[in-house]
């Protein structure tokens, strides 16, 4: 992380996003997944949404080469920041755009568990296209995520809250999540 900060100019954009439909999807699928012994999480849903988005926006699939060149890759591999005893590690969920939500949930749970057990393979720690880091479960609304070089972007996920929002002149309660893109 220190290398990333010292070698790259990083800018973070922060936005509150209406995720009411995401929350509805989570509530609809939670029981179904639990019955199949699969843990559904907001992070898994966000990984699926991010992977789908990256199929349409190739500039976020760029990497910085050793020669400081930007190269756009065709793969969509999502790094997931995982807090471990000695710091932070970023296992990579490969070909996320080609996986359904259930598979993403299963692989995400496996990667996070094995990261905490220090039993990841080297291949599972490389090849990321973009990283997602979620501090929302700690009540943190927004933060500045640090690039995981050689990736060119990282998405920070903040707290999910219900907030009053004005829509067409009326006040409605919406589920809002703060996203920080570096």
């Amino acid at each position: 992380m220190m290398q990333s900060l010292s070698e790259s100019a990083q800018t973070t954009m922060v936005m509150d996003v209406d995720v009411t439909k995401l929350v509805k999807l989570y509530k609809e699928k939670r029981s179904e997944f639990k019955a199949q012994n699969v843990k559904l999480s907001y992070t898994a849903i966000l990984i699926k949404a991010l992977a789908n988005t990256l199929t349409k926006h190739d500039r976020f699939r760029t990497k910085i080469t050793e020669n400081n060149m930007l190269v756009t890759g065709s793969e969509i591999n999502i790094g997931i920041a995982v807090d471990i005893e000695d710091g932070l590690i970023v296992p990579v969920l490969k070909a996320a755009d080609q996986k359904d939500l259930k598979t993403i949930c299963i692989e995400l749970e496996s990667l996070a568990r094995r990261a905490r057990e220090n039993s990841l393979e080297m291949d599972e720690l490389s090849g990321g296209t973009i990283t997602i880091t979620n501090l929302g479960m700690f009540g943190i609304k927004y933060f500045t995520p640090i690039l995981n070089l050689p990736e060119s972007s990282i998405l920070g996920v903040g707290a999910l809250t219900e907030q009053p929002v004005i829509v067409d002149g009326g006040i409605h309660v919406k589920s809002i999540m703060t996203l920080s893109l570096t």
Side-chain angles (χ1 to χ4, degrees), residues 50 54 60 77-79 128-132 151 153-155 181:
L50 180 58
L54 291 178
F60 293 102
N77 303 325
I78 310 290
T129 305
I130 186 173
T131 292
I132 187 168
E151 298 168 15
S153 52
I154 182 170
L155 181 66
L181 179 68

Side-chain angles (χ1 to χ4, degrees), residues 66-110:
E66 293 176 9
N67 301 332
N68 289 325
M69 302 292 292
L70 291 177
V71 177
T72 301
S74 60
E75 295 179 338
I76 297 178
N77 303 325
I78 310 290
I80 306 102
V82 177
D83 186 31
I84 59 173
E85 190 175 312
D86 296 335
L88 195 66
I89 194 164
V90 182
V92 178
L93 197 149
K94 307 282 175 131
D97 59 315
Q98 299 172 26
K99 296 178 175 155
D100 63 13
L101 182 57
K102 181 179 173 184
T103 303
I104 289 173
C105 290
I106 292 167
E107 290 187 19
L108 175 62
E109 184 73 20
S110 173

